Amino acid sequence: MNMFRFLGDMTHLFSVLVLLLKIHTIKSCAGISLKTQELYAIVFATRYLDLFTDYISLYNTVMKLVYLGSSLSIVWYMRRHKLVRRSYDKDQDTFRHHFLILPCLILALLINEKFTFMEVMWAFSLYLEAVAILPQLVLLQRTRNIDNLTGQYVFLLGAYRSFYILNWIYRYFTEVHYVHWITWISGLVQTLLYGDFFYYYFHSWKNNEKLQLPA
Amino acid sequence: SSSNDVKDEL
């Protein structure tokens, strides 16, 4: 495993853990899209079906379980926790995320590496991950609430995307037959959408800063 | 398509 891949995994892991820890500590999820968090939980659940069929490494297995556990915990907090659910911007988080799931599933049925259940689910999880940030982007544009979407979360997600792309480039040039078109293209789309998210975050952040200046 | 069957990335 190269350093880019490892740093990508770590920043991805920390982005999820930071969010979970923050919700757990301040008992608030204001500014966080439940729709996006649910999509991420579905992404992990459908991608890691191979937990039951293939053993790759202890690292791999543990990371998968931690991703699954932490993303499901976030969803649980936002839906079920007495205090946390009160802070959820339900009326603003209106993106119809179910309409993302069906097109991704159809695309996965059409474009996959092999037409088997596992491969279709794997492709589906990649397509869904690419667009899962959209409800969060819409919520951020609506509420301009950047209190809970900390710089850390934005920074860690961005670092994860960047490191994974460097990892693919590195592996392409150092390994024989390392070609994953589906992963690369959906990864690029995800990074572009994330760039949009990044832009709005800093835009809101800058405007909030300005508002605090004396007139 | 891929010649790498093992999905070793997360």
Side-chain angles (χ1 to χ4, degrees):
Chain A
M1 181 164 56
N2 64 70
M3 196 46 74
F4 300 124
R5 154 75 196 282
F6 180 68
L7 290 173
D9 286 348
M10 288 302 120
T11 44
H12 193 189
L13 178 70
F14 288 143
S15 73
V16 183
L17 289 183
V18 160
L19 191 60
L20 178 60
L21 199 69
K22 209 169 166 61
I23 291 173
H24 174 79
T25 309
I26 64 175
K27 298 288 183 284
S28 164
C29 64
I32 307 292
S33 165
L34 176 61
K35 308 290 176 80
T36 285
Q37 297 306 318
E38 284 179 345
L39 290 177
Y40 280 140
I42 295 171
V43 164
F44 290 137
T46 48
R47 186 172 309 162
Y48 300 154
L49 287 171
D50 63 355
L51 273 171
F52 300 106
T53 57
D54 295 293
Y55 178 78
I56 295 156
S57 64
L58 184 64
Y59 170 84
N60 215 286
T61 302
V62 170
M63 290 293 277
K64 285 173 178 173
L65 290 173
V66 174
Y67 282 144
L68 268 169
S70 47
S71 70
L72 286 172
S73 304
I74 292 172
V75 171
W76 178 85
Y77 263 111
M78 294 183 75
R79 278 179 166 274
R80 297 270 177 266
H81 191 280
K82 231 189 314 179
L83 290 171
V84 175
R85 62 192 276 194
R86 254 189 258 161
S87 62
Y88 169 48
D89 303 311
K90 196 179 177 182
D91 301 331
Q92 307 281 349
D93 191 21
T94 53
F95 193 96
R96 295 181 178 185
H97 64 328
H98 294 110
F99 288 115
L100 289 176
I101 296 174
L102 192 63
C104 288
L105 192 60
I106 292 169
L107 195 63
L109 285 167
L110 296 173
I111 305 173
N112 49 63
E113 289 191 356
K114 238 183 274 165
F115 194 70
T116 63
F117 177 70
M118 297 287 281
E119 288 290 336
V120 169
M121 285 294 104
W122 181 78
F124 167 72
S125 80
L126 286 166
Y127 302 145
L128 196 62
E129 187 186 359
V131 293
I133 198 75
L134 283 174
Q136 182 63 68
L137 185 61
V138 169
L139 182 64
L140 182 61
Q141 288 179 27
R142 282 214 183 122
T143 60
R144 303 267 163 196
N145 184 342
I146 55 164
D147 297 342
N148 277 15
L149 281 170
T150 61
Q152 287 154 310
Y153 182 61
V154 173
F155 171 80
L156 288 168
L157 267 181
Y160 153 59
R161 295 310 315 151
S162 314
F163 282 128
Y164 251 78
I165 287 178
L166 291 173
N167 158 59
W168 296 331
I169 295 170
Y170 180 85
R171 290 188 75 172
Y172 179 76
F173 285 109
T174 55
E175 289 175 31
V176 186
H177 303 312
Y178 178 76
V179 179
H180 278 299
W181 282 109
I182 292 176
T183 316
W184 295 344
I185 291 171
S186 45
L188 275 178
V189 170
Q190 188 187 351
T191 308
L192 291 176
L193 287 178
Y194 177 78
D196 212 34
F197 175 59
F198 203 75
Y199 171 81
Y200 275 104
Y201 176 80
F202 279 101
H203 196 70
S204 306
W205 178 73
K206 231 174 83 183
N207 286 354
N208 275 22
E209 287 277 296
K210 274 182 189 159
L211 285 174
Q212 286 165 9
L213 291 172
Chain B
S1 67
S2 168
S3 35
N4 191 348
D5 283 316
V6 180
K7 312 275 194 271
D8 62 348
E9 286 175 0
L10 302 161

